[in-house]
Amino acid sequence: MMMKPTHDSLILVTGAVGAIGRNLTGMLLAKGHKVRALVRREDERAGALRRLGAEVVQGDLTDLASMHRAIEGCARIYFGMSVSAAYLEATVNTAAVARHHGVEAFVNMSQMTVTQMNITETTDSPQHKLHWLAEQALSWSGLPVVTVRPTVFLEGFFLLFAAASVRDADELALPLGASKTSPVSSVDVAAILDDPAPHIDHIYNLTGPESADLDHYARGFSEALGRTIRYRDAPTSEWSEKLRAAGLPDHVVHHLTVMTELHKQGRYDRMSEDYLKLTGETPMSMADFVKLHAAEFTRSAATV
C-alpha cells in the first residue's frame, strides 16, 4: 500500500488521557496533524485535550458501536490500553473495526516482555499472556501493523508509583531488588504516525539510554533534585498492599507484582538502539526526567 506523508490524514489516539496517549496527542497536534482522541469518560482531562485542538470522542474499546464511531474517517490508529483483563477483547475488537474501515496503519503499544514469550512460555501475569495473544491476533489480521515494545515507562514505576516516597521520605521505594533495568520515557511514536509506510510490519524494542541498578538511579534523583535520595528495596507485600489500598484492581496489582519479580530476575536488563533509529534522538535520561517532573518529587513549602 502506497502512503504519502500528509497532515490531512485523521489519526485516532486511544487511551488519550493516559500519560503516553496524552503526550502523543500533543506531539501530533504540534506537528499539524488532525487528531481524534478516544476517552472513556468526559472529564477535565478530556476538556484539556479539546483545548489542545483534538477532536474528542467518548467510547469503549470493547464496544463495536463505539469503535465504529471512533475509527470511521481515520487513516491511522495508535492503539494503547492500560492494564486490563479486557485487553485482548479490546485489541481484537479495535482491530476488526479498523480492518473494516481500511486503515493504512495500526500502531500497537505492546511490552518488551513479549520478546521472551512464545507458544509454550509466558509469565505468571495473565496480562503478559494477553499482550502476547494480542500480538498474534494482529499478525493474523492482515492489518498494516507496527509494534512498539518498551521495557517499562518512567511515567509508571518512577512517577506514578515512586513519587510519593521520594517526595515524603527522600527514598526511592520500589520492590526491584538489586537488578538492573532500562526504563524509557514516553515514546515518541509520532514519527511512525507521520509516515507509517517504512515501519509497517516492524517491531521496535525500546529502552532508556542505560541499564542500571536502583542505587544508580537514586543518585540520578539526588543530582536532579539537589537533595539526597536513597533507594529502598521495599518488600513486595508492602508495595502490593499500597496498590490495593489505592483502589487498583487485583488484575492490575498481580501484573505489577509479577513485573517486580521479573525485574529482580534481570528480565528488564535490556538495551536496544531502536529508540535512536526510530526518532533520531537519544532517550531521555533518568536525571533529565526527574528534572522535568521535579515539582511532583518535591514537597511544597506548605507541607514542609
Side-chain angles (χ1 to χ4, degrees), residues 7-289:
H7 287 16
D8 294 329
S9 298
L10 183 59
I11 299 172
L12 174 67
V13 175
T14 74
V17 297
I20 309 306
R22 185 171 62 250
N23 288 344
L24 175 60
T25 298
M27 290 174 187
L28 290 170
L29 289 169
K31 289 172 177 281
H33 288 286
K34 299 175 183 176
V35 179
R36 179 178 290 165
L38 180 67
V39 302
R40 281 295 303 272
R41 61 185 61 87
E42 286 288 349
D43 55 20
E44 170 54 31
R45 297 176 300 172
L49 293 172
R50 281 196 179 90
R51 289 192 292 275
L52 283 176
E55 173 195 349
V56 177
V57 295
Q58 184 180 8
D60 182 340
L61 290 166
T62 64
D63 178 70
L64 275 173
S66 286
M67 295 317 296
H68 277 290
R69 289 194 302 271
I71 293 173
E72 187 174 12
C74 292
R76 303 165 189 176
I77 295 176
Y78 164 79
F79 179 82
M81 185 182 184
S82 57
V83 176
S84 169
Y87 182 84
L88 179 59
E89 178 187 0
T91 305
V92 174
N93 190 69
T94 304
V97 179
R99 179 168 178 170
H100 172 78
H101 288 284
V103 301
E104 64 185 25
F106 189 106
V107 178
N108 175 44
M109 182 61 71
S110 187
Q111 295 188 7
M112 195 181 287
T113 314
V114 174
T115 64
Q116 298 170 320
M117 296 169 60
N118 56 48
I119 194 65
T120 60
E121 298 291 334
T122 183
T123 78
D124 290 334
S125 167
Q127 181 70 29
H128 282 142
K129 181 181 178 182
L130 296 179
H131 270 277
W132 186 83
L133 288 171
E135 285 199 20
Q136 305 310 300
L138 288 173
S139 72
W140 302 331
S141 70
L143 282 167
V145 176
V146 185
T147 301
V148 181
R149 294 175 177 168
T151 45
V152 63
F153 286 120
L154 287 167
E155 288 79 2
F157 273 91
F158 292 89
L159 184 58
L160 185 61
F161 299 128
S165 66
V166 172
R167 184 174 58 244
D168 301 334
D170 290 337
E171 63 178 24
L172 187 57
L174 291 168
L176 301 181
S179 62
K180 293 181 178 181
T181 186
S182 56
V184 63
S185 185
S186 291
V187 180
D188 183 3
V189 296
I192 298 173
L193 291 160
D194 255 340
D195 182 16
H199 306 288
I200 300 301
D201 296 330
H202 281 61
I203 295 173
Y204 294 100
N205 295 306
L206 303 180
T207 71
E210 60 183 345
S211 186
D213 62 25
L214 274 293
D215 287 318
H216 173 84
Y217 289 130
R219 290 191 290 273
F221 271 78
S222 301
E223 171 194 334
L225 297 175
R227 65 184 202 272
T228 301
I229 308 296
R230 293 182 174 85
Y231 168 56
R232 178 169 71 88
D233 183 15
T236 302
S237 57
E238 169 194 310
W239 192 71
S240 298
E241 284 308 310
K242 286 184 177 179
L243 296 179
R244 289 192 177 89
L248 295 182
D250 284 342
H251 177 87
V252 177
V253 174
H254 180 55
H255 172 65
L256 294 172
T257 302
V258 169
M259 285 185 67
T260 67
E261 293 304 314
L262 295 177
H263 268 87
K264 292 174 183 177
Q265 297 169 21
R267 290 276 289 270
Y268 289 82
D269 182 11
R270 313 281 292 279
M271 288 299 295
S272 166
E273 295 294 321
D274 284 359
Y275 190 105
L276 179 62
K277 293 175 184 175
L278 183 60
T279 68
E281 300 177 357
T282 302
M284 184 180 293
S285 69
M286 178 70 79
D288 286 343
F289 176 81

